[in-house]
């Protein structure tokens, strides 16, 4: 298995192929090792009634496609991986029978799968020295164990990671210090129908993105970028007071962040609206109010589909009583809570909620059954999507057909998945991927909490 010293050797854990089934193709000219234990784990997972089982099957088929014509000897000595673009050198894929490797660290138990994979990396570190051998896993505890066992290089899978620090995540708006107009040197203004547009010099905001909101500290200006070229940006003047008086289904924004979110949600030209922010900032409430306004009052859509993901949903939904919607109800209590808030002043709030759910055709669906569907002329609210991977979110986004609006909301500080962090979450991925898409808007909401108790908890716990 001798290779050029400049090449690195990447040993992949099972969770890498579950996170991204084609991950083994993304290591450019470097070699990739798949221990036999990983294949066994994929085999055990592929037949379960879980969403992750599909990813296991896709990974197995992808590996089979790459190794279909390889002989056993070629698999031991490495099968060349497909070349990408203009690359002249490609890496090689190895399948190693790790069950017969000598235990590199006697103190490390050999029975657990994690330990067998770590032992494979330790064996390769010794056999292929001075070549760099790197274990790639999304399991934080496994990374700690591998380092403790003497493995020099351990990494997370970062190929699909677009930022290194969530603090630099695109917020969807830019706040000017002081007053906006005091910083504008040259401006052309024109009116089209009821809207006013300003042509500004690009140097005023060199890193502008399409549909990005513009506000200032003086609370005197609110606008939205609608066009960008090398010299100028075109901004639609929203009017600070006017946007603050936006309303949907009887509610008005409490701050400028909610106002910007409501502006994007009520815009039928926005196919995707992404809402991020801490607990209590109004993401779900505003999304639901806007959905009811667009479906019932304006008649622009036929129904509202509400779904979410939790780590236990794939296992637990089958044990809950009732239909699919009744099974989903406990997981989507945040939606019913918001409906109750929107109708708490009605004479018969409970009856009002039932009536509105029927009139707006609100459907609770499991995210596991979104695959294969083609959703037409609907509003889809995907709540708590910080727990979804980029591949899972892509699956849901591609289900949205003609006339469908997708609203994704999530709190990156409340990730429950074992294999995701704030920077690798699918929510972070789509925020960065769609920030220059004409039909999408992102808003990071701030400043509103449920109560002084929640506020104190956010700051002190």
């Amino acid at each position: 298995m001798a290779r050029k010293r400049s090449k690195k050797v990447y040993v992949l854990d099972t969770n890498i192929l579950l996170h991204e089934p084609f991950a083994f193709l993304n290591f450019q000219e470097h070699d990739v090792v798949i221990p036999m234990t990983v294949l066994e784990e994929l085999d055990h997972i592929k037949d379960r009634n879980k969403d992750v089982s599909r990813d296991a099957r896709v990974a197995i088929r992808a590996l089979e496609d790459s190794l279909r014509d390889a002989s056993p000897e070629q698999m031991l000595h490495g099968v060349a991986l497909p070349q990408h673009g203009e690359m002249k050198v490609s890496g090689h894929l190895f399948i190693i029978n790790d069950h017969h490797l000598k235990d590199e660290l006697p103190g490390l138990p050999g029975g657990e799968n994690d330990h067998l994979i770590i032992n494979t990396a330790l064996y390769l570190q010794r056999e292929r020295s001075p070549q760099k051998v790197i274990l790639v896993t999304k399991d934080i505890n496994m990374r700690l164990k591998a380092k403790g066992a003497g493995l020099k290089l351990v990494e997370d899978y970062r190929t699909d990671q677009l930022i290194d620090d969530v603090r630099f995540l695109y917020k969807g708006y830019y706040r000017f210090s002081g007053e906006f107009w005091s910083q504008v040197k040259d401006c052309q203004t024109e009116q089209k129908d009821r809207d006013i547009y300003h042509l500004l010099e690009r140097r005023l905001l060199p890193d502008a993105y399409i549909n990005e909101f513009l506000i200032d500290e003086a609370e005197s200006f609110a606008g939205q970028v609608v066009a960008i070229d090398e010299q100028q940006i075109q901004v639609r003047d929203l009017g600070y007071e006017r946007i603050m008086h936006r309303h949907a289904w009887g509610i008005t924004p409490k701050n400028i962040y909610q106002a910007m979110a409501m502006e994007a949600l009520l815009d039928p030209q926005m196919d995707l609206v992404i809402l991020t922010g801490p607990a209590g900032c109004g993401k779900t409430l505003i999304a639901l109010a806007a959905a009811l306004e667009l479906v019932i009052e304006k008649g622009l859509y036929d129904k509202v589909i509400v779904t979410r993901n939790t780590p236990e949903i794939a296992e637990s939904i089958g044990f809950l009583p009732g239909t699919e919607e009744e099974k989903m109800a406990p997981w989507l209590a945040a939606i019913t809570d918001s409906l109750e808030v929107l109708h708490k002043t009605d004479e018969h709030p409970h009856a009002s909620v039932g009536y509105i759910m029927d009139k707006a055709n609100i459907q609770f669906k499991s995210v596991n059954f979104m695959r294969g569907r083609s959703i037409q002329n609907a509003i889809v609210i995907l709540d708590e999507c910080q727990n979804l991977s980029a591949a899972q979110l892509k699956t849901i986004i591609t289900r949205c057909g003609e006339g469908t609006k997708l609203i994704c909301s999530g709190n990156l500080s409340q990730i429950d998945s074992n294999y995701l962090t704030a920077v690798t979450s699918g929510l972070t991925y789509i925020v960065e991927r769609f920030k220059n898409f004409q039909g999408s808007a992102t808003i990071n909401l701030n400043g509103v909490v449920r109560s002084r108790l929640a506020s104190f908890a956010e700051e002190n716990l």
Side-chain angles (χ1 to χ4, degrees):
M1 294 189 354
R3 290 288 181 268
K4 292 182 180 180
R5 291 187 180 183
S6 59
K7 278 192 175 184
K8 299 175 184 176
V9 181
Y10 289 93
V11 181
L12 303 191
D13 188 15
T14 312
N15 52 53
I16 301 300
L17 296 175
L18 295 177
H19 175 77
E20 171 52 66
F22 296 93
F24 65 94
L25 299 173
N26 294 332
F27 290 88
Q28 299 178 350
E29 76 276 13
H30 304 294
D31 292 339
V32 176
V33 172
I34 308 288
M36 199 75 74
T37 298
V38 170
L39 297 181
E40 291 177 355
E41 287 193 318
L42 291 175
D43 188 53
H44 292 150
I45 293 170
K46 68 181 175 63
D47 293 326
R48 299 178 189 174
N49 293 320
K50 295 184 179 182
D51 190 61
V52 73
S53 300
R54 173 193 171 275
D55 296 319
R57 292 191 293 271
V58 172
I60 292 169
R61 285 195 294 269
L63 287 167
E64 200 273 335
D65 288 342
S66 297
L67 300 171
R68 181 185 289 117
D69 299 324
S71 65
E73 292 78 14
Q74 288 175 315
M75 290 179 67
L76 287 173
H77 291 87
V79 177
L81 290 167
Q83 296 182 7
H84 293 281
E86 299 180 356
M87 285 179 56
K88 305 249 177 166
V89 181
S90 69
H92 288 72
L93 176 64
F94 298 86
I95 304 295
I96 290 185
N97 186 356
D98 52 332
H99 292 274
H100 294 293
L101 296 180
K102 179 185 175 183
D103 195 349
E104 292 297 308
L105 195 67
L108 191 68
E112 293 186 24
N113 290 339
D114 284 1
H115 297 161
L116 289 172
I117 296 170
I118 292 172
N119 189 62
T120 301
L122 289 168
Y123 167 80
L124 291 172
Q125 181 176 263
R126 176 173 58 84
E127 290 295 313
R128 298 186 66 161
S129 178
Q131 204 172 2
K132 290 183 178 179
V133 175
I134 304 161
L135 174 63
V136 186
T137 176
K138 300 199 75 65
D139 188 336
I140 297 174
N141 193 52
M142 186 174 178
R143 294 202 292 266
L144 294 173
K145 287 194 290 185
K147 288 180 181 179
L151 195 60
K152 297 176 182 177
L153 298 171
V154 186
E155 293 181 3
D156 190 3
Y157 180 70
R158 299 180 181 275
T159 302
D160 60 349
Q161 183 176 316
L162 300 179
I163 60 173
D164 294 321
D165 192 330
V166 74
R167 290 177 298 175
F168 303 118
L169 182 66
Y170 176 60
K171 292 181 170 57
Y173 62 87
Y174 182 83
R175 179 189 289 274
F176 289 89
S177 58
E179 187 181 15
F180 172 76
W181 288 113
S182 65
Q183 303 176 47
V184 177
K185 302 260 173 95
D186 187 17
C187 174
Q188 299 177 33
T189 300
E190 60 180 349
Q191 184 165 353
K192 296 179 182 178
D193 299 326
R194 298 176 59 185
D195 292 321
I196 297 175
Y197 295 88
H198 306 295
L199 279 175
L200 308 173
E201 293 181 354
R202 180 68 186 271
R203 63 178 181 80
L204 183 68
L205 196 65
D207 297 324
Y209 294 99
I210 201 72
N211 297 325
E212 184 175 12
F213 288 90
L214 306 178
I215 55 177
D216 62 8
E217 290 180 342
E219 299 184 356
S220 62
F221 179 81
Q224 187 177 25
V225 177
V226 294
I228 304 172
D229 62 29
E230 293 182 0
Q231 303 297 326
Q232 295 176 313
I233 59 174
Q234 186 180 37
V235 176
R236 181 165 65 101
D237 195 328
L238 301 173
Y240 196 92
E241 291 299 323
R242 188 166 69 250
I243 193 175
M244 286 299 295
H245 285 86
R246 268 285 206 175
H247 61 85
W249 206 247
I251 69 167
T252 54
K254 290 187 174 182
N255 60 21
I256 189 61
Y257 309 105
Q258 288 189 351
M260 292 185 291
M262 196 171 288
E263 176 71 26
L265 289 166
L266 294 175
D267 186 350
Q269 301 301 315
M270 294 296 169
D271 302 323
L272 171 65
V273 178
I274 306 170
L275 304 178
T276 63
C281 65
K283 300 184 297 293
T284 304
L285 184 66
I286 293 176
L288 186 58
L292 295 177
E293 183 78 16
L294 292 171
V295 172
I296 298 177
E297 290 296 325
K298 298 186 177 180
L300 297 178
Y301 303 91
D302 297 333
K303 58 188 174 183
V304 180
I305 296 176
V306 185
T307 185
R308 67 169 289 184
N309 179 66
T310 70
E312 303 152 305
I313 200 166
E315 298 174 90
S316 303
I317 184 173
F319 297 99
L320 294 171
T323 63
E324 180 190 356
E325 293 197 2
E326 290 171 335
K327 292 172 186 285
M328 286 298 299
W331 301 108
L332 292 165
I335 300 296
T336 52
D337 289 346
S338 296
L339 277 172
E340 291 171 1
V341 170
L342 293 172
H343 295 275
K344 65 181 180 180
T345 59
D346 293 1
E347 187 174 351
H348 300 288
H350 185 72
S352 294
V353 169
Y355 173 75
I356 292 302
M357 287 187 66
D358 183 60
K359 189 171 182 180
N361 194 8
I362 298 178
Q363 303 173 13
F364 290 169
K365 298 294 181 183
S366 169
V367 73
N368 300 324
F369 302 113
M370 295 291 281
R371 297 186 188 276
R373 298 190 64 182
S374 181
I375 303 167
Q376 308 288 334
N377 207 43
I379 293 180
V380 179
I381 299 177
L382 178 56
D383 204 18
E384 301 290 334
C385 63
Q386 73 273 8
N387 289 311
L388 290 167
S389 68
Q392 289 171 318
L393 264 175
K394 179 181 177 181
T395 299
I396 296 170
I397 292 172
T398 54
R399 297 303 94 209
C400 295
E402 192 69 29
T404 291
K405 186 187 194 82
L406 176 62
I407 303 170
C408 295
S409 66
N411 179 3
L412 288 168
S413 65
Q414 293 185 346
I415 293 178
D416 302 315
S417 171
N418 294 329
Y419 304 125
L420 293 176
T421 63
V423 293
T424 61
S425 167
L427 178 60
T428 300
Y429 190 78
I430 63 168
V431 167
E432 290 296 311
R433 280 296 189 202
F434 282 90
K435 64 185 180 184
N436 239 339
F437 174 55
Q438 185 74 44
S440 74
T442 296
I443 298 297
N444 177 254
L445 288 88
N446 290 297
V448 179
V449 294
R450 295 188 183 95
S451 63
R452 62 180 182 177
L453 172 63
S455 178
F456 183 84
E458 285 282 344
E459 296 175 1
N460 296 280
L461 295 184

